[in-house]
Amino acid sequence: MSRYRHGLGLAGLLGAAVAYELVVRALFSPLHVPPLTAIAPEAVRLLGEARFWTATGRTLLAAVVGLAIALAAGVVLGFAIGSVPGLLRVTSSTLDFLRPVPSIVLIPVLILVLDVKEITVLLVAVSCFWIVLFQVLYGVREVDQVAVDTARSFRLGRLARIVHVTWPTVLPYLGTALRLIVSVALALALTGGLVMGTAGLGEMIWSSQESGEVTGMYALVLLTGGIGVAVDLLARLAERRLLHWHVATRREVAA
Amino acid sequence: GGDEEPAEAGGGGELTTVTLASSPLGHLAPIYIAQDRGIFAKHGLKVEVDTETSDLTSVPSVLAGKVDFATGDLTTLIVARSKGLDVKAVVPASASTGKAGADYGALVVSGKSGITSPKQLDGKTVAVNILTNIAAAAAREAIRADGGDPESVKLVEIPFPQVPAAISEGRVDGAWVVEPFLSAAKAQGAVPVGWGFTDLAEDLTVSAWYTSGAFAKQKPQVASAFRDAVREAYAYAREHEDEIRAKIPTFTEITPEVAGRITLTGWRDEVSRQAAEKLVGYAQRDGLITTAPDLDELILS
Amino acid sequence: MRAGGPLARGAAGAGLALGLPAALLALWWVASAGSTNIFLPPLRVIVEAFGRVWLSGTFADDVVPSLWRLGASYGAALVVGVVAGYAIGRWPVARALTSPLLAYFRVLPAPVMIPVLLVAVGIGDATKLIVIGLGALWPILLNTADGVRAVDEVQLETAAAFRLPVWTRHRLTLRAATPQIFAGARQALGISIIVMVVSEMLMSTDGLGFTVTQFQRSFAIPEMWSGVLLIGALGFALAKLFELVERRALRWHRGHTGREEPS
Amino acid sequence: MTAELLRIEKLGKSYRSRERQVDALTGIDLAVREGEFVSVVGPSGCGKTTLLKIVAGLVPATAGEVVLGGRRVTEPPADLAVVFQEYGRSLFAWKTVRQNVELPLRHHVGRAERRALVADALDAVGLGAAAGAYPWQLSGGMQQRVAIARAIAYRPKLLLMDEPFSAVDAQTRGDLEDLLAQLWHRYAMTVLFVTHDIDEAVYLSQRVVVLGTGTTGVQAQIPIDLPAERDQLGTRSSAHFGELRAQVYARVRRTPRPSTPELLERVAP
Amino acid sequence: MTAELLRIEKLGKSYRSRERQVDALTGIDLAVREGEFVSVVGPSGCGKTTLLKIVAGLVPATAGEVVLGGRRVTEPPADLAVVFQEYGRSLFAWKTVRQNVELPLRHHVGRAERRALVADALDAVGLGAAAGAYPWQLSGGMQQRVAIARAIAYRPKLLLMDEPFSAVDAQTRGDLEDLLAQLWHRYAMTVLFVTHDIDEAVYLSQRVVVLGTGTTGVQAQIPIDLPAERDQLGTRSSAHFGELRAQVYARVRRTPRPSTPELLERVAP
Ligand SMILES: Nc1ncnc2c1ncn2[C@@H]1O[C@H](COP(=O)(O)OP(=O)(O)OP(=O)(O)O)[C@@H](O)[C@H]1O
Ligand SMILES: Nc1ncnc2c1ncn2[C@@H]1O[C@H](COP(=O)(O)OP(=O)(O)OP(=O)(O)O)[C@@H](O)[C@H]1O
Ligand SMILES: [Mg+2]
Ligand SMILES: [Mg+2]
């Protein structure tokens, strides 16, 4: 089953690749949007370069650190706000106000106290934090009153209720959040390179753009997306292990 | 930053470290060469180039003393100065070659458009990389100098790398573009019709290395040592263009083949005061600033 | 316990909602009052700039185009996200087929896509709409898919046993997934405002993001901060609007999970 | 004698997961005539619900087959109504009681007739006044009656009920039993009825099927030859009722109980 | 005579929402002694579950008060266990059967003793072999027994059970009844037991409380003076059992039924 599923995923990717090739060849000049047949060899060449791996390492590091911060902060705050009565009502307007402020606008201010690497991590962390926070806040609302009543009747404390009742209920929502923030983290780590020149894949892409190396740039984009695919695979494996009891997972395992 | 007084030029002793912030662009070539050839050391300096920077971060970084020198285009520096930001231009980073028809930036149109002169762009859409910098001024001035009305032109922001595609796909009617994209655009059928840099001023300083007023005041020797070293580097560069062209591919993604073909920026020793005055005028006219900055404060004497 | 009419309760609610922001603003006001850092101007100066900039023609010139872009792409993302998310959540084959592909596209940041879109669709609003839409799409799509996947099997079995028409069954499944779809839509709202601002930083001639960027580039720092305030206020207003819709649509869910407060 | 409607042959079902394998049903053979009322009794966990779900085409069997009206069941057949054991979860929380009952009728009957059907069904289960309430505003027994109302308003040919009266009080239960018997007579439905109440099984049905646990299959099929017209007091106190009841009890008692671990499930190695 | 443990006074509860107002309970007065076994019967929707939840401190009353061991109940009191009517929803889907039963014990007893308690409780309800399964892998009756096992493993002082045997077969039900009676004796628990089965109520309890619908309050309290030692066959066939049963039946029959719309709920204007 699992192999079959991965086979389908591969088929999806191949289909998209073929579609891309056809559309690009039909509609675009290879100078502006190169076909895959031109990008792929370039990507393979990049894979052999140490430079590429260093850049990838840097980008992934920023993404991972930012993501970890966001996850920790989002989960802690989300559970606190979501499970302490009244706290949501007090904080919600502030959250709503702060949520849409694009951190990119604040870069000139942030640079006064942080360096670009830290800002990149911060960009990642802030964007992912909001996603985790809201996903947790919505997840907390799924908690079944009967389950809570059961826990309360056995006098499980607030913390124990969070661990044994709220947390597992929120977990599927967090699963969704995880897949969202994994890509957001990568995308923003790249953006850091693109708008601030933070060393890494984003900066390489920027540099290729600035040097008019269109094919090189597309090759980098192709490889970056590859990271996304790999991470998604991991996320799905994790879901099968951690959420095996959840309707969604068990239905698919049975199917 | 540099925390010690520099030794006298040429003297031995400790080198003062200065940090430079600039994106990895062509104008860094003379700096790297100067570093290789010990020109900075000769002036008692050791430079560290921080390429992890951008337009967004360089001015605050310099003002906060996180880096000593950075590059910025002259219009941006003028605007910053007029808003009270204490920036000081030290030495040009890139300059117009001063030769219309052979400059490193130009106003281009599609070869198929039938447009042959800038004033025909009246009422059309023209791309510049940033609306508030020298590119916009250059584009406007090219049209104005040709007798057109820049007010009627719709300026949009398109980053330089996308200009060749935007022109050849007909997404914009004209675009201000610099090397290496000027060459790329020409190779894809675009034709230059205006040379805004030379229209702006005869000896236009396009961008400059600048520092903060505080730094210039506290460590005047370092600032002038840096200026002298860069000037010496430019003198070398003027004589050894091939070395510059060979250097560019080592720190950018530009291929040696392209680097050998593009028009290089001019290297000048002085931030042109005359050009700056003109730019102030344009900036006032285009509504970028309301009060003219004191150019004595802006340009390190 | 139930003292006070709806008016009093409304006032108490407003007090709860606005208390913290008011306190924070006051704190900011005091803390920044003596600031000499040009990048962190006193709130007083920012508020002055706010009046000057936004309570004039700029509002109509910039906020209106931004709002229209936001509305159009958010709406489109909602439709596409729910439909695609439903298909992916409902049919494991669809999920298996598209999962890596979508993971691939999710990673691409807007600045990477814009050059491609520039060539493909040009410099008009279309590019911005697509970029905003793509930003808003993922949370909606993923949440819809996961919400649909998690629909109670007894509900699906009930619908199947009574042989309800296919469309009714799809509608029921979708309805059962609405709590999580709303979570996605809520995420997307915040994200799309941000992406709207970011997308207007490129290739734009108007809009909130454009104006804020211009302020930033021309070192009009108080004006820039006033733009940030406006963006926050906009987000706040849209979030409240969203909540209004959500409260109506998810009342059953509050009741079902035992959170329906007496009114 | 009417024609055979449902034939279950060598039916088997095992649930497999990574850690456990449970043979819920093995070698079940059963035939139900059209218009028959058959009750299924058996110990908790013996596979009654599984059987019903397979007959309803909701769960695929892992062995054998179910043939309904000459057709192999692979998806829910037409004119079927099910009252699920998990009545609470089978109601749609965002729909009112009325809308829940109305839902299956929407594409079959006109608006006016639908209204009448729904109102009648709700009145019949004593929930006329709760039509506008949401399921989560109701007590357990009320929710169960909504599920019953939905099934009877639908007027199915085949009615599958899984412990439909488990959550209502004795008196309501009696009323609902009579209601069901009446409807069955009037609309010539075929009913497959799972219950834990042996008296109820005897009182309502024409045949009681005793199911054994897991691998043991159908233990007994006891025909209930009580007169067609039954009533709570008369029938239940009749001597023949007592005999039949005792007979079923005896069979049930002899059925291996699932509380014995070996029978409850055979955990795969 | 032992001391009074629970006193319920003028208890009232109305559920209010935008469209409806339901008076689930009005003017309930009830006292329970320590170690007493009290059953509550009453028509579906009369407020039994609501009463239990108020006693458990899970739902706030809208009138009157509940005093437990001298303290007004505002939150769940110590040493309380509840078997909820919605047994399915009260089990944690992400925990195995064993973990579900173990959860309330975690902070009270050591690991070894806990293991033993859990294993005993599961064996007692016949689910020893299903300890490693997840609730959704179990049949309805099995789930209900997990909930029972969880409550009895906890050894509460006060045990509230809401139709705890509704989903199990007759024989298992009998066994569980006896198990409960035994535990009640051995651990001197106080039990408040909601059921729809009047025989069961009489068989198990020392007193049967008949609840009326909505505004009608407690209809009757019938002391069950059967001998302390009871057994399924002997007790149930005794003449006195029959008398008591008839007495309760008669009271229940006279109780206004909620199927009458006016009584079911009073919709607020
Ligand atoms: N989804 C499932 N996954 C794994 N095992 C299951 C599943 N559903 C049921 N079972 C197992 O199948 C067996 C039969 O279950 P079923 O629900 O059919 O019993 P039942 O006769 O309806 O019992 P009850 O009277 O308690 O409702 C049980 O042992 C149960 O554990
Ligand atoms: N959350 C709620 N919101 C509104 N009304 C409710 C709610 N819970 C219960 N009710 C109403 O309160 C009344 C009593 O409900 P309760 O669940 O206590 O009855 P019950 O005696 O346990 O019935 P049953 O025997 O059917 O379980 C019912 O009319 C029901 O509709
Ligand atoms: Mg069952
Ligand atoms: Mg109840």
Side-chain angles (χ1 to χ4, degrees):
Chain A
M1 180 61 213
S2 168
R3 190 160 304 147
Y4 159 74
R5 208 178 339 247
H6 295 323
L8 271 183
L10 209 60
L13 284 178
L14 284 178
V18 170
Y20 175 87
E21 189 73 17
L22 293 179
V23 168
V24 164
R25 284 186 181 275
L27 300 179
F28 297 108
S29 146
L31 288 171
H32 306 146
V33 184
L36 206 59
T37 38
I39 301 171
E42 183 68 17
V44 172
R45 194 183 60 73
L46 274 170
L47 283 177
E49 282 187 29
R51 209 164 54 99
F52 168 77
W53 292 105
T54 327
T56 306
R58 286 196 175 122
T59 300
L60 283 182
L61 185 70
V64 167
V65 173
L67 194 132
I69 295 173
L71 207 54
V75 166
V76 169
L77 277 176
F79 276 86
I81 295 175
S83 46
V84 177
L87 207 50
L88 181 60
R89 281 169 73 185
V90 173
T91 52
S92 78
S93 48
T94 311
L95 298 180
D96 289 335
F97 191 91
L98 293 177
R99 171 73 179 101
V101 172
S103 28
I104 216 167
V105 174
L106 301 180
I107 287 175
V109 180
L110 295 173
I111 195 73
L112 297 177
V113 284
L114 301 173
D115 70 27
V116 285
K117 282 193 193 64
E118 292 162 344
I119 296 180
T120 305
V121 170
L122 191 72
L123 274 184
V124 172
V126 168
S127 308
C128 295
F129 164 77
W130 287 114
I131 294 178
V132 176
L133 180 75
F134 275 85
Q135 204 76 9
V136 169
L137 287 178
Y138 272 81
V140 167
R141 311 195 322 192
E142 284 293 314
V143 174
D144 192 314
Q145 192 61 36
V146 180
V148 174
D149 281 352
T150 306
R152 281 180 63 206
S153 72
F154 287 116
R155 287 174 72 91
L156 262 62
R158 195 177 287 283
L159 191 68
R161 287 210 304 271
I162 286 180
V163 171
H164 295 292
V165 184
T166 319
W167 170 256
T169 312
V170 174
L171 212 51
Y173 272 66
L174 263 181
T176 314
L178 197 66
R179 263 174 295 141
L180 269 174
I181 59 174
V182 158
S183 35
V184 167
L186 262 174
L188 275 159
L190 291 175
T191 306
L194 285 162
V195 304
M196 293 186 304
T198 317
L201 273 182
E203 196 267 345
M204 268 182 90
I205 293 175
W206 179 88
S207 205
S208 301
Q209 278 182 356
E210 277 308 303
S211 307
E213 281 305 307
V214 178
T215 313
M217 184 202 107
Y218 275 83
L220 283 167
V221 170
L222 183 74
L223 294 173
T224 312
I227 301 174
V229 175
V231 174
D232 178 68
L233 208 64
L234 288 180
R236 292 218 284 160
L237 281 176
E239 180 184 59
R240 281 175 166 264
R241 290 204 74 85
L242 293 175
L243 291 177
H244 65 98
W245 50 268
H246 189 58
V247 218
T249 324
R250 66 191 199 226
R251 197 159 32 220
E252 267 163 38
V253 171
Chain B
D3 28 32
E4 276 180 46
E5 290 298 294
E8 276 306 300
E14 291 285 293
L15 295 183
T16 302
T17 305
V18 293
T19 46
L20 315 185
S22 166
S23 302
L25 295 174
H27 64 228
L28 275 182
I31 303 289
Y32 283 128
I33 286 177
Q35 206 176 1
D36 294 347
R37 303 192 60 84
I39 294 175
F40 283 111
K42 203 169 101 197
H43 290 268
L45 299 177
K46 178 168 175 290
V47 297
E48 279 175 4
V49 181
D50 178 7
T51 54
E52 289 188 290
T53 185
S54 69
D55 296 342
L56 226 49
T57 58
S58 59
V59 171
S61 296
V62 167
L63 289 181
K66 299 181 85 178
V67 294
D68 301 325
F69 300 95
T71 58
D73 77 274
L74 204 51
T75 298
T76 299
L77 294 180
I78 286 168
V79 173
R81 189 81 226 179
S82 87
K83 291 277 156 58
L85 280 73
D86 191 13
V87 291
K88 229 170 189 44
V90 177
V91 64
S94 58
S96 159
T97 58
K99 288 173 271 191
D103 211 341
Y104 81 99
L107 185 63
V108 297
V109 297
S110 167
K112 289 173 284 190
S113 65
I115 295 174
T116 50
S117 74
K119 74 163 181 281
Q120 285 171 283
L121 285 168
D122 270 13
K124 298 232 156 65
T125 306
V126 173
V128 296
N129 74 328
I130 286 174
L131 286 176
T132 55
N133 74 359
I134 199 163
R140 285 201 182 98
E141 195 55 25
I143 292 164
R144 190 176 357 247
D146 194 43
D149 173 20
E151 293 301 310
S152 73
V153 174
K154 187 177 169 214
L155 289 187
V156 294
E157 283 192 3
I158 291 183
F160 288 142
Q162 273 77 62
V163 163
I167 289 286
S168 76
E169 301 279 332
R171 300 298 180 193
V172 288
D173 301 303
W176 176 261
V177 68
V178 298
E179 290 289 10
F181 305 104
L182 177 55
S183 300
K186 283 199 280 195
Q188 292 172 34
V191 289
V193 290
W195 304 90
F197 281 161
T198 49
D199 296 325
L200 278 174
E202 279 156 32
D203 56 348
L204 182 72
T205 303
V206 176
S207 66
W209 288 101
Y210 64 93
T211 184
S212 67
F215 185 90
K217 195 185 282 163
Q218 282 158 19
K219 298 171 182 166
Q221 296 94 327
V222 181
S224 53
F226 174 71
R227 181 165 59 181
D228 295 342
V230 172
R231 283 178 182 162
E232 199 176 325
Y234 287 168
Y236 183 83
R238 280 190 285 266
E239 300 305 312
H240 303 86
E241 213 183 279
D242 289 347
E243 271 183 52
I244 299 286
R245 290 187 191 276
K247 193 76 192 173
I248 289 175
T250 64
F251 62 93
T252 67
E253 304 283 325
I254 295 175
T255 59
E257 186 261 325
V258 173
R261 172 158 51 99
I262 56 177
T263 309
L264 297 176
T265 65
W267 298 292
R268 290 174 197 261
D269 294 339
E270 294 283 350
V271 176
S272 162
R273 184 162 174 122
Q274 179 207 356
E277 272 165 12
K278 285 195 167 173
L279 284 177
V280 168
Y282 299 139
Q284 275 178 307
R285 193 175 51 201
D286 296 337
L288 285 180
I289 56 175
T290 44
T291 50
D294 181 354
L295 291 183
D296 293 330
E297 288 289 312
L298 178 64
I299 301 168
L300 185 76
S301 52
Chain C
M1 215 173 108
R2 236 175 281 280
L7 252 178
R9 248 180 295 138
L16 268 184
L18 296 178
L20 187 59
L24 289 177
L25 280 175
L27 192 71
W28 184 4
W29 187 285
V30 173
S32 69
S35 169
T36 51
N37 188 329
I38 198 143
F39 290 95
L40 294 167
L43 184 54
R44 182 177 40 80
V45 177
I46 296 173
V47 170
E48 278 167 25
F50 192 98
R52 198 167 58 242
V53 175
W54 300 111
L55 304 183
S56 65
T58 321
F59 189 84
D61 292 346
D62 287 321
V63 178
V64 172
S66 286
L67 277 179
W68 122 253
R69 281 176 203 136
L70 184 69
S73 21
Y74 184 75
L78 212 55
V79 173
V80 175
V82 168
V83 170
Y86 182 82
I88 290 167
R90 184 72 187 76
W91 294 285
V93 171
R95 183 165 131 89
L97 197 64
T98 55
S99 183
L101 189 63
L102 296 181
Y104 178 87
F105 282 109
R106 275 205 303 275
V107 178
L108 304 184
V112 165
M113 280 177 312
I114 286 175
V116 184
L117 291 174
L118 167 79
V119 179
V121 289
I123 57 165
D125 268 350
T127 298
K128 268 156 270 175
L129 295 183
I130 291 174
V131 171
I132 305 171
L134 276 177
L137 177 69
W138 302 120
I140 300 176
L141 188 143
L142 287 184
N143 272 298
T144 305
D146 285 349
V148 167
R149 288 203 304 143
V151 170
D152 192 294
E153 62 235 289
V154 181
Q155 308 234 309
L156 299 179
E157 284 174 353
T158 306
F162 283 108
R163 285 178 69 105
L164 296 179
V166 174
W167 282 110
T168 311
R169 277 160 69 180
H170 290 324
R171 229 184 38 238
L172 288 174
T173 311
L174 202 58
R175 189 81 170 95
T178 39
Q180 196 164 355
I181 296 178
F182 268 92
R186 186 75 166 71
Q187 297 275 18
L189 188 63
I191 292 176
S192 58
I193 297 176
I194 293 181
V195 182
M196 172 197 85
V197 172
V198 173
S199 75
E200 284 174 354
M201 293 177 169
L202 277 175
M203 299 190 283
S204 227
T205 48
D206 57 15
L208 207 45
F210 169 78
T211 307
V212 170
T213 315
Q214 296 310 309
F215 286 145
Q216 188 187 53
R217 288 196 184 133
S218 53
F219 306 100
I221 305 299
E223 285 82 357
M224 181 200 94
W225 275 109
S226 78
V228 171
L229 281 187
L230 184 67
I231 292 168
L234 180 70
F236 174 77
L238 290 176
K240 287 297 154 211
L241 203 67
F242 184 92
E243 247 166 52
L244 225 62
V245 177
E246 188 190 82
R247 282 195 75 78
R248 282 190 66 89
L250 291 188
R251 195 170 90 86
W252 65 272
H253 187 244
R254 286 198 303 283
H256 183 66
T257 53
R259 285 176 301 112
E260 173 77 323
E261 57 268 35
S263 54
Chain D
M1 202 147 191
T2 51
E4 178 184 277
L5 176 73
L6 175 71
R7 203 179 65 248
I8 298 171
E9 259 175 22
K10 298 206 181 49
L11 190 71
K13 170 78 190 176
S14 42
Y15 291 100
R16 261 174 225 144
S17 68
R18 215 175 309 159
E19 313 88 14
R20 329 161 65 234
Q21 172 177 343
V22 180
D23 297 328
L25 293 171
T26 351
I28 302 290
D29 291 302
L30 184 68
V32 178
R33 274 169 294 116
E34 214 172 314
E36 201 178 4
F37 196 124
V38 175
S39 288
V40 179
V41 300
S44 170
C46 74
K48 304 178 293 295
T49 299
T50 304
L51 177 65
L52 239 55
K53 285 197 175 166
I54 294 175
V55 170
L58 295 169
V59 164
T62 44
E65 60 173 6
V66 174
V67 180
L68 184 80
R71 280 253 216 77
R72 214 184 141 143
V73 173
T74 51
E75 47 154 25
D79 290 325
L80 168 85
V82 185
V83 177
F84 288 89
Q85 184 174 15
E86 296 122 320
Y87 51 87
R89 283 165 64 189
S90 90
L91 298 178
F92 298 104
W94 55 91
K95 288 184 181 288
T96 61
V97 165
R98 180 185 297 111
Q99 289 166 339
N100 263 289
V101 176
E102 204 172 25
L103 182 65
L105 302 174
R106 290 183 92 139
H107 304 276
H108 297 277
V109 281
R111 172 183 289 264
E113 194 190 343
R114 205 161 70 212
R115 297 240 133 211
L117 275 171
V118 171
D120 284 354
L122 284 176
D123 280 340
V125 299
L127 287 178
Y134 288 89
W136 39 271
Q137 295 177 321
L138 303 182
S139 77
M142 291 161 87
Q143 289 177 19
Q144 195 169 38
R145 284 181 278 152
V146 176
I148 296 169
R150 179 168 62 186
I152 61 179
Y154 188 61
R155 305 264 188 271
K157 283 237 170 60
L158 176 62
L159 177 59
L160 307 181
M161 302 180 102
D162 199 350
E163 305 180 28
F165 308 140
S166 62
V168 296
D169 60 293
Q171 203 168 342
T172 308
R173 187 173 193 140
D175 293 351
L176 291 174
E177 283 167 8
D178 289 339
L179 173 72
L180 177 61
Q182 242 174 25
L183 290 171
W184 169 61
H185 271 296
R186 179 146 12 120
Y187 297 104
M189 293 188 287
T190 310
V191 182
L192 203 57
F193 186 89
V194 170
T195 181
H196 282 314
D197 187 331
I198 291 170
D199 287 38
E200 182 173 86
V202 173
Y203 176 66
L204 284 173
S205 24
Q206 296 182 307
R207 183 153 46 114
V208 175
V209 175
V210 181
L211 224 55
T213 307
T215 43
T216 53
V218 174
Q219 297 289 308
Q221 303 206 24
I222 298 145
I224 307 295
D225 49 359
L226 290 168
E229 286 296 315
R230 307 180 187 182
D231 69 294
Q232 294 285 357
L233 276 180
T235 307
R236 282 189 195 248
S237 56
S238 76
H240 192 44
F241 182 90
E243 279 161 31
L244 288 166
R245 204 183 96 175
Q247 208 177 327
V248 176
Y249 258 110
R251 284 311 319 220
V252 166
R253 187 138 318 157
R254 261 185 289 146
T255 304
R257 297 278 303 288
S259 46
T260 333
E262 306 82 68
L263 284 171
L264 178 68
E265 58 206 24
R266 278 139 296 280
V267 178
Chain E
M1 201 144 191
T2 53
E4 180 184 276
L5 176 74
L6 176 72
R7 203 178 66 248
I8 299 171
E9 259 175 22
K10 298 207 179 49
L11 191 71
K13 170 78 191 176
S14 40
Y15 291 101
R16 270 181 213 135
S17 68
R18 215 173 309 157
E19 311 88 14
R20 329 160 65 231
Q21 172 178 343
V22 181
D23 296 328
L25 293 170
T26 352
I28 302 290
D29 291 301
L30 185 68
V32 179
R33 274 169 293 118
E34 214 174 312
E36 202 179 3
F37 196 124
V38 175
S39 289
V40 179
V41 301
S44 171
C46 75
K48 304 178 294 295
T49 299
T50 304
L51 177 65
L52 240 54
K53 286 196 174 164
I54 295 174
V55 171
L58 295 169
V59 164
T62 45
E65 59 173 4
V66 175
V67 179
L68 185 79
R71 282 251 218 76
R72 211 184 143 143
V73 173
T74 51
E75 49 156 20
D79 292 324
L80 166 86
V82 185
V83 177
F84 289 88
Q85 185 173 14
E86 297 125 317
Y87 50 88
R89 281 169 71 186
S90 94
L91 296 179
F92 303 114
W94 45 90
K95 289 183 184 287
T96 61
V97 166
R98 180 184 298 112
Q99 289 166 341
N100 263 288
V101 176
E102 206 171 22
L103 179 64
L105 301 175
R106 292 187 96 130
H107 303 280
H108 298 276
V109 282
R111 173 183 287 266
E113 194 189 343
R114 205 160 70 211
R115 297 239 135 212
L117 276 171
V118 172
D120 284 355
L122 285 177
D123 280 341
V125 299
L127 286 179
Y134 286 87
W136 40 270
Q137 295 178 321
L138 303 182
S139 77
M142 291 162 87
Q143 288 177 19
Q144 196 169 35
R145 284 181 278 151
V146 175
I148 296 168
R150 180 167 61 187
I152 61 179
Y154 189 62
R155 306 263 187 272
K157 284 237 172 58
L158 176 61
L159 177 59
L160 308 180
M161 302 181 100
D162 200 350
E163 305 181 27
F165 308 140
S166 62
V168 295
D169 59 294
Q171 203 167 343
T172 308
R173 187 172 194 141
D175 293 351
L176 291 174
E177 283 166 8
D178 288 340
L179 173 72
L180 176 62
Q182 242 175 24
L183 290 171
W184 169 62
H185 270 297
R186 178 146 10 122
Y187 297 103
M189 294 188 288
T190 310
V191 183
L192 203 58
F193 187 89
V194 170
T195 182
H196 283 315
D197 187 331
I198 292 169
D199 288 38
E200 182 173 87
V202 174
Y203 176 67
L204 284 173
S205 24
Q206 299 182 304
R207 182 153 47 113
V208 175
V209 175
V210 181
L211 224 57
T213 307
T215 44
T216 54
V218 173
Q219 296 290 307
Q221 304 204 24
I222 298 146
I224 307 296
D225 49 358
L226 289 167
E229 286 297 314
R230 307 179 189 182
D231 68 295
Q232 293 284 358
L233 277 179
T235 308
R236 283 190 195 248
S237 56
S238 77
H240 192 43
F241 183 89
E243 276 161 32
L244 288 167
R245 203 183 96 174
Q247 209 178 325
V248 177
Y249 258 110
R251 284 309 322 222
V252 167
R253 186 140 316 158
R254 262 185 288 146
T255 305
R257 298 278 303 288
S259 47
T260 334
E262 307 82 68
L263 284 172
L264 179 67
E265 60 205 26
R266 280 139 296 279
V267 179

